Amino acid sequence: MSQRTERRGIHVDQSDLLCKKGCGYYGNAAWQGLCSKCWREEYQRVRQKQIQDDWALAEKLQREEEEAYASSHAVHSQSAPGHASLTPFSKFEEKKTNEKTRKVTTVKKFFSPSSRTASKKETQEGKTPSPSISRHASFDTDQVSKDFVEFLKNLYKPGREIHKQCRAFLVSMSNKKDLGADELSECVQDFYQSLADRLISHFKGSSESVEQVMDQVEKYIMTRLYKSVFCPETTDDEKKDLATQNRIRALHWVTIQMLCVSMDEEIPEVSENVVKAITDVIEMDSKRVPRDKLACITRCSKHIFSAIRITKNEPASADDFLPALIYIVLKANPPRLQSNIQYITRFCNPSRLMTGEDGYYFTNLCCAVAFIEKLDAQSLNLSPEEFERYMSGQASPRFSSSEGTWPDGSQGVGTAVTNPVLAQLNTNLELLSGLCSRQEAVMEAAQSLQSEFLSWTQSVQREVNDILEKYPLEIKSSKVSAIDANNVDNENLPSPIKPQVFAG
Amino acid sequence: MSAMRVDAKVVMLGKESVGKTSLVERYVHHRFLVGPYQNTIGAAFVAKPIQVGEKVITLGIWDTAGSERYEAMSRIYYRGARAAVVCYDLTDSSSFQRAKFWVKELQNCEEHCKIYLCGTKSDMIEGDRSLRQIDYHDAQDFAEEIGAQYFETSSKTGKNVDELFQKVAEDYNSSAFQFMTEETGVDLGQKKDSYFYSCCHNN
């Protein structure tokens, strides 16, 4: 028994080490318990399935598109359910097949950017050279295309027209990759303009519905073009991004007082809003559609406004807002800020956004960035010497007020009043030390458990030994089984024959 | 987010504490908040629909930061504006000098932008004439010189406030038609120049 308990912890059965497929080779945990050969097979199978799934999705999309056209083509057939209306529908069907074959080729064009689909379907159409819209981005784009088709379904004929135009535009854009960013921007803007004009003049759309359509068009087009036109290599956007990032880093010492920001971060609600504003402006980089990016800026601005409102107990004006936004940008140091601004400027549908509320906040963000770039001693009400010292890191305005307190976690209460960041730091430190002591307790308990285990096995062993000593194994004379004593070695032998014969 | 469609962008320009925000606040919410250091009221952006004849025109009114700190950036603000209300304090001659600066900027950079000169706090000089530092005729002459409309307003009493913005909307309405026909007549290749293409190249 004692031997068994000792083994339990480390014992691994031979079968556990072998490949799960049972091929007889040893498996590996990294290959999910399979041997290299079986793993490769399995992996291929999963991959194949994935490819098929992608395919199915592509085909589904294509079908949906065709349906969208069908519904725009034969509006009244939609009202009747599929089977019941077969006879009147068949006429349409005929007409449609022509339509369909034509459509399919264009649809191919539509999917060709994803290389895998293209390789299978490029029979008629030449592959559109568009590696920019790469495969791994296709999930997002597929979703957007799906939504777009869904949206256009409700528009019948104009929807079809819009879709055609968009696809043609995307194809033409994929051939224009060598153009500079400004030219690309011009192409997109021209497209927005001409499509909007067309919608108004040809389809007599109300300005509201046109706007709605244009929003969707922007979403669709820009999601598809994002990769190739965001921070393109032809511009020095990336360099500017880095410059701005470093600039903001170098200005880490700028305080809320220097900017004359009327936000009091000691009020919990205010600091909450500040954190939200920072999150929003950082989130901007993760969006693809210019409008979504703008929405992030707007949300950020709204949080700033509420922060100011809470602090001052009255609504904020531009005189409060701009400094606060500058402060938020300095604190957040949003990734790829310049690229994002350039991207929005170049590819946002301008007709409404540059005059509306989003436009206002965006303009303020541009101002904030421009201010940060040009910021000097005068704009912070500092003497040039002070500014130089802060910039070179020789002095820090922050530590002059709460010098020496921050490295010492025990004085957290004192610093909490002077600086909310330090307070946060201190609470974090406290949390960490709490976790540390708990970790120690766990370790102690684990160790005692371990020693208990060891002593337990020992005690069990001892007990067993005691018992063994007490009741030594006495091999009693085998007289008890005397009758069979002779047969012990011949167990396999049949029973004695004699009595059988006698009985018979 | 305001889903409201905005027809025209109107920027408020002027030195700090001349009462830009009060003016907007008065116009949009018909109120005037009193306080000792009251240079800040109201939101920074408002979209206000105005009835002009048969039509409704929505003005997007942009409040701007007036501090000299941000002077270098003001160009970013009024880019694409169709109207600018340049404010100065009737009791502060330095604010009038600043107003002249903005007028010059606007004339150089935004030819499509119509300028409205606006002397604020007229209720104060009505109480005490000696407080007035900018002569009415001087301002009027200046306005004529630059082809601008001139208003003396009071956000406290509401005098001339509605008239100012009504005029802005009416002028926009009559010029929008002109502008539109002009625009469609323009060669497509020149589209680059139309006002919305260049929003912000801040370097």
Side-chain angles (χ1 to χ4, degrees), chain A residues 189 211 314 316 319 360 364 366, chain B residues 5 40 42 63 66 77 197 200:
Chain A
Q189 299 289 4
E211 246 165 57
E314 57 186 41
D319 289 313
Y360 179 72
N364 272 293
C366 294
Chain B
R5 198 197 142 79
T40 45
D63 191 7
Y77 271 123
Y197 278 112
C200 164

Side-chain angles (χ1 to χ4, degrees), chain B residues 115-130:
Chain B
I115 300 171
Y116 299 82
L117 194 64
C118 175
T120 58
K121 308 186 186 175
S122 70
D123 54 285
M124 284 174 79
I125 53 166
E126 263 159 34
D128 182 359
R129 293 219 156 260
S130 65

Side-chain angles (χ1 to χ4, degrees), chain B residues 5-56:
Chain B
R5 198 197 142 79
V6 172
D7 295 304
K9 167 176 166 181
V10 181
V11 281
M12 309 293 295
L13 296 172
K15 199 183 165 183
E16 259 177 312
S17 72
V18 296
K20 301 181 292 292
T21 321
S22 297
L23 193 62
V24 177
E25 185 76 8
R26 174 83 215 183
Y27 176 58
V28 177
H29 300 295
H30 305 290
R31 61 176 178 189
F32 180 72
L33 300 169
V34 212
Y37 296 105
Q38 225 229 298
N39 55 350
T40 45
I41 355 155
F45 175 87
V46 265
K48 172 84 176 171
I50 299 169
Q51 187 80 35
V52 179
E54 304 264 289
K55 279 169 82 179
V56 174

